[in-house]
Amino acid sequence: MNNNIKLDDIARKLGISQTTVSRAISGKGRVSEQTRARVLECMRELNYSPNMIAKSFSENRTYNIGVVIPMDDMESEAPFFQNCLMGISKYCGLRSYDTLVVATEKGDVSQLRRVLDSRKADGIIITRPLQDGTMEKLLADRGVPYVTVGQSADMDAVTIDSAHKEGCCELTSYLLMNNKPGKIGLIIGSMDQTVNKSRYEGFVRAIESGGAPVPNKTVFLGVTGELQLRRAIDDLLQRECGCIICGDDIICMHVVNMLAAIGKSIPRDIRVASFYNSMYLDMYSPPITALSFKAGELGAATASLLLDMLEGRDAEHETLLGFEMLIRRSTM
Amino acid sequence: MNNNIKLDDIARKLGISQTTVSRAISGKGRVSEQTRARVLECMRELNYSPNMIAKSFSENRTYNIGVVIPMDDMESEAPFFQNCLMGISKYCGLRSYDTLVVATEKGDVSQLRRVLDSRKADGIIITRPLQDGTMEKLLADRGVPYVTVGQSADMDAVTIDSAHKEGCCELTSYLLMNNKPGKIGLIIGSMDQTVNKSRYEGFVRAIESGGAPVPNKTVFLGVTGELQLRRAIDDLLQRECGCIICGDDIICMHVVNMLAAIGKSIPRDIRVASFYNSMYLDMYSPPITALSFKAGELGAATASLLLDMLEGRDAEHETLLGFEMLIRRSTM
DNA sequence: TTGAAAGCGCTAACAT
DNA sequence: ATGTTAGCGCTTTCAA
């Protein structure tokens, strides 16, 4: 099929120099229209496609980006990362970049370090920045461009995010306005994740702008694992919450299922909403009110940002993408 | 941090040739113990790590593998691919390979072709082989080693899989033995996917070895989209099935939720089981009986197989991994 | 506008 | 056991 044609083959066939062929194809440097046409013609004919490794070597860049994906218990199956990764990969492909997966367990930087050491990626996307900012430090030290999806501990980091804070604020406000009697409960996962911090901040802002104090008995932060989750829910029920807000889709599914298990009806007995949507939440009966963020588009935008940086354009220090409030029957 | 030390730097510092350094590090060719020690020492001191792009270029291999992941509607959020990919990536990292994502929509080979053209991967994993075998043909034409996760249309393909057929057969048999009155219904997704073929075959084998004819009214193959799914379920309920078997976790979640929506109780009114497990099925009340296959381990095994092939060891033409039957309350 | 030649960092064949 | 050298396919300086 592809007989590994190289520039030199084209040059010989056309009786010109390899340099000219290179220039004709890359568009850098002046080549006569006539020559360029001949080269492009021949290139197609021979089905030439450049050896990217040679190109990489010569240019000292790889046309790869690395994407750090968390691989921890509960989060590892979260649809967000998969959708985000697909968005990234698809977009990169369009610009002839490739996407390297850096699967990372619980803050372990060894795989990232390996990729950096091997110089196999031109830039890095961190899909779930952590509070400690270890990865960011590593990247900054090496001078490797990177973007974090969500707030980073590194104030200099280029970040992009869905408008979690704003969304959470708006959804919380909506729920406050339309609540039935009873307090609002909140369950949020690990506070090591910066996204959970944003969510909490949005929640707080809504509560405070309503003039009320932030409830301390019905707000659970840093809830990880089923056991803790179960305890939190029990607690919220005892305190007669009228509504439970879940930090993300996974937590929400647990909540919905646990409520079903003890015979509580949504929304009759209690309302439920989620700060993050996924197809699963729409499948329930009743479907669950949630903030929708389009992980795939976020991924694409992130990749776009990073590639622009790699290609020398300068990037917004902080980008915010919109959200959508999906008010569904679980809160009606 | 890493000042891009190269072999030559070490060689100069030690007053020996670059070749010797290369040999000392790679272990190929003879080097005196003494020299080797000095080299390794110096290497650590300077924090040397090889420029993999240069190495790739020289050796004409990339130490990358490509992983083709489907990006279609319903499947795109299936936890299987995410878990499988993480398993692959983790294992590859251990052997200093990297994992390139090839996100692919509905049988579109353009991204795969791009990766092959650019010569950026030494081998390919197809995580969801399709009936038409287009990708396999492309790979075979190019002479690029590949492994498919599940049966391939290409009879020569090296394949690895969880024992879907066996598992589905066993689970079906179990359900037949322990069924309450009423027929067994089956809902399976797109028959373009070879894994769904395997599932159906397992089901058929179980039915036939029970001496019964395969039901034709209560078996739905090629069910895609919510509408079709809803119709299938309605139909199964009208025919008074005692049990619904779902081809995978996503279908199953739809089924469970739809049953809840119309007030059917599991398992009292109807039993439900799934040919594929995911954490979500365990969260329901009652938890859903399912076959468990450990996508992460499958991914790791797949990567292991492919890397062995790339390194010249010859591979089993077909590998089968075990399964586990998780009998849960949905069928008790 | 075009070409010759050097160089990117590594491996490997060949020589010593 | 160690060194010399060519070469991988491309980009890029320098010259013409």
Side-chain angles (χ1 to χ4, degrees):
Chain A
M1 189 108 233
N2 185 338
N3 311 301
N4 284 173
I5 304 297
K6 50 192 167 181
L7 285 187
D8 190 49
D9 295 326
I10 300 183
R12 293 178 117 78
K13 183 150 186 205
L14 262 41
I16 60 182
S17 85
Q18 201 193 109
T19 313
T20 305
V21 178
S22 170
R23 281 196 276 247
I25 292 176
S26 71
K28 299 175 194 166
R30 263 164 272 298
V31 181
S32 73
E33 261 320 312
Q34 199 186 9
T35 317
R36 156 163 291 120
R38 290 212 304 150
V39 169
L40 294 183
E41 161 72 17
C42 179
M43 175 181 136
R44 256 182 288 278
E45 186 187 328
L46 295 183
N47 197 11
Y48 169 79
S49 108
N51 181 331
M52 289 303 284
I53 297 299
K55 190 172 158 74
S56 292
F57 180 48
S58 165
E59 293 184 41
N60 198 29
R61 52 197 301 239
T62 61
Y63 296 95
N64 290 153
I65 65 162
V67 181
V68 179
I69 311 262
M71 224 179 53
D72 311 310
D73 306 339
M74 265 170 75
E75 292 88 33
S76 74
E77 289 197 10
F80 169 74
F81 297 103
Q82 186 164 359
N83 290 331
C84 184
L85 179 63
M86 292 300 110
I88 292 171
S89 175
K90 184 177 173 187
Y91 182 85
C92 283
L94 258 33
R95 286 176 62 170
S96 297
Y97 274 76
D98 281 289
T99 306
L100 233 50
V101 180
V102 185
T104 300
E105 290 174 286
K106 208 61 189 166
D108 167 38
V109 295
S110 63
Q111 289 308 306
L112 176 60
R113 182 170 278 131
R114 218 201 71 244
V115 170
L116 298 180
D117 283 345
S118 66
R119 306 166 181 76
K120 269 190 173 182
D122 299 334
I124 298 288
I125 291 175
I126 299 181
T127 58
R128 197 195 58 189
L130 297 179
Q131 279 292 4
D132 63 15
T134 317
M135 296 197 170
E136 290 92 326
K137 279 191 201 78
L138 187 58
L139 289 160
D141 276 356
R142 304 282 183 107
V144 175
Y146 68 97
V147 177
T148 66
V149 178
Q151 280 180 41
S152 169
D154 177 1
M155 298 307 292
D156 299 328
V158 173
T159 68
I160 183 171
D161 205 0
S162 300
H164 288 288
K165 197 187 295 186
E166 294 71 13
C168 293
C169 177
E170 199 162 310
L171 177 55
T172 304
S173 296
Y174 171 87
L175 294 170
L176 284 171
M177 306 266 289
N178 300 276
N179 200 13
K180 22 173 76 170
K183 304 186 169 171
I184 283 200
L186 175 68
I187 303 179
I188 279 188
S190 165
M191 293 306 276
D192 288 344
Q193 302 173 30
T194 61
V195 64
N196 281 334
K197 211 178 119 209
S198 302
R199 285 166 174 151
Y200 180 59
E201 288 168 1
F203 174 81
V204 167
R205 187 194 290 173
I207 297 284
E208 289 181 340
S209 75
V214 177
N216 57 351
K217 301 286 191 189
T218 60
V219 167
F220 292 82
L221 306 179
V223 176
T224 57
E226 279 194 55
L227 189 62
Q228 278 191 45
L229 199 49
R230 191 174 293 272
R231 287 213 190 104
I233 296 172
D234 284 347
D235 211 342
L236 290 180
L237 291 175
Q238 286 201 345
R239 292 176 192 281
E240 296 185 337
C241 283
C243 178
I244 297 181
I245 304 180
C246 308
D248 61 46
D249 50 332
I250 308 280
I251 290 178
C252 190
M253 294 173 77
H254 277 104
V255 166
V256 170
N257 289 319
M258 287 184 189
L259 289 177
I262 60 176
K264 293 283 178 186
S265 158
I266 303 170
R268 207 191 53 212
D269 300 327
I270 193 161
R271 296 178 174 192
V272 174
S274 169
F275 278 165
Y276 189 84
N277 184 48
S278 71
M279 64 175 277
Y280 303 130
L281 297 187
D282 195 30
M283 286 169 39
Y284 280 110
S285 166
I288 310 297
T289 288
L291 290 172
S292 165
F293 290 112
K294 295 182 184 160
E297 288 177 20
L298 175 57
T302 309
S304 165
L305 189 59
L306 181 58
L307 296 194
D308 282 354
M309 288 165 61
L310 294 180
E311 294 178 353
R313 270 156 284 179
D314 47 22
E316 288 292 332
H317 181 256
E318 197 174 338
T319 310
L320 264 196
L321 267 58
F323 63 92
E324 210 180 333
M325 247 173 52
L326 305 177
I327 304 298
R328 297 192 278 220
R329 287 195 291 110
S330 73
T331 56
M332 284 180 176
Chain B
M1 190 108 235
N2 186 338
N3 312 303
N4 284 176
I5 304 297
K6 48 192 169 183
L7 284 188
D8 192 46
D9 296 326
I10 299 183
R12 294 177 117 79
K13 182 150 188 206
L14 263 40
I16 59 182
S17 85
Q18 199 193 110
T19 313
T20 305
V21 178
S22 170
R23 280 195 277 247
I25 292 175
S26 72
K28 299 176 192 165
R30 264 164 274 297
V31 182
S32 75
E33 262 319 312
Q34 202 186 7
T35 315
R36 157 164 290 124
R38 289 210 307 150
V39 169
L40 295 184
E41 162 71 18
C42 180
M43 175 182 135
R44 255 181 288 277
E45 185 187 330
L46 295 183
N47 198 10
Y48 169 80
S49 110
N51 182 330
M52 288 303 285
I53 298 300
K55 190 173 156 73
S56 291
F57 179 47
S58 166
E59 292 184 45
N60 198 27
R61 52 197 299 237
T62 61
Y63 297 94
N64 289 154
I65 65 162
V67 181
V68 179
I69 310 263
M71 224 177 56
D72 311 310
D73 305 338
M74 265 170 74
E75 291 89 31
S76 74
E77 290 198 8
F80 169 74
F81 297 104
Q82 186 164 359
N83 291 329
C84 186
L85 179 62
M86 292 299 111
I88 291 170
S89 175
K90 185 177 173 188
Y91 183 85
C92 283
L94 260 32
R95 286 176 63 170
S96 297
Y97 274 76
D98 281 290
T99 307
L100 233 51
V101 181
V102 185
T104 301
E105 289 174 287
K106 208 62 190 168
D108 166 39
V109 295
S110 64
Q111 289 307 308
L112 177 60
R113 180 171 279 132
R114 219 201 70 245
V115 170
L116 297 180
D117 282 345
S118 66
R119 306 166 181 80
K120 271 191 175 181
D122 299 333
I124 298 288
I125 291 174
I126 299 179
T127 58
R128 199 193 59 188
L130 297 178
Q131 279 292 5
D132 62 15
T134 317
M135 296 200 171
E136 289 93 325
K137 277 192 202 76
L138 186 58
L139 289 161
D141 275 355
R142 303 284 183 107
V144 175
Y146 69 96
V147 176
T148 66
V149 178
Q151 280 181 42
S152 170
D154 176 1
M155 298 306 292
D156 298 330
V158 172
T159 69
I160 183 171
D161 205 359
S162 299
H164 289 287
K165 197 188 294 184
E166 293 72 12
C168 294
C169 177
E170 200 161 309
L171 177 55
T172 305
S173 295
Y174 170 87
L175 295 169
L176 285 172
M177 306 266 288
N178 299 274
N179 201 13
K180 23 176 77 173
K183 301 186 173 174
I184 282 198
L186 176 68
I187 303 178
I188 279 187
S190 166
M191 293 307 276
D192 288 345
Q193 303 173 30
T194 60
V195 64
N196 282 333
K197 212 178 119 210
S198 301
R199 285 167 173 149
Y200 181 59
E201 287 168 1
F203 174 82
V204 167
R205 190 195 288 173
I207 298 286
E208 289 182 340
S209 74
V214 178
N216 58 350
K217 300 285 189 189
T218 60
V219 167
F220 292 82
L221 307 179
V223 175
T224 58
E226 278 193 55
L227 189 62
Q228 279 192 45
L229 198 49
R230 191 174 294 272
R231 287 216 189 102
I233 296 172
D234 284 346
D235 211 341
L236 290 180
L237 290 175
Q238 287 202 344
R239 293 177 191 279
E240 299 186 336
C241 281
C243 178
I244 297 182
I245 304 180
C246 309
D248 60 46
D249 49 332
I250 308 282
I251 290 178
C252 190
M253 295 174 77
H254 276 104
V255 166
V256 170
N257 289 319
M258 287 183 188
L259 290 177
I262 60 175
K264 291 284 180 186
S265 159
I266 303 171
R268 207 190 54 213
D269 299 329
I270 192 164
R271 298 178 172 192
V272 174
S274 169
F275 279 165
Y276 189 82
N277 184 47
S278 71
M279 64 175 277
Y280 304 128
L281 297 188
D282 194 29
M283 286 169 37
Y284 278 110
S285 167
I288 310 297
T289 289
L291 290 173
S292 164
F293 290 112
K294 295 182 183 161
E297 288 178 20
L298 175 58
T302 309
S304 165
L305 188 60
L306 181 58
L307 296 194
D308 282 354
M309 286 165 61
L310 295 180
E311 295 179 351
R313 269 157 282 178
D314 46 23
E316 289 290 332
H317 181 257
E318 197 176 338
T319 309
L320 263 197
L321 267 57
F323 64 91
E324 211 178 332
M325 245 172 58
L326 304 178
I327 304 299
R328 297 192 277 219
R329 287 197 291 112
S330 72
T331 56
M332 286 183 177

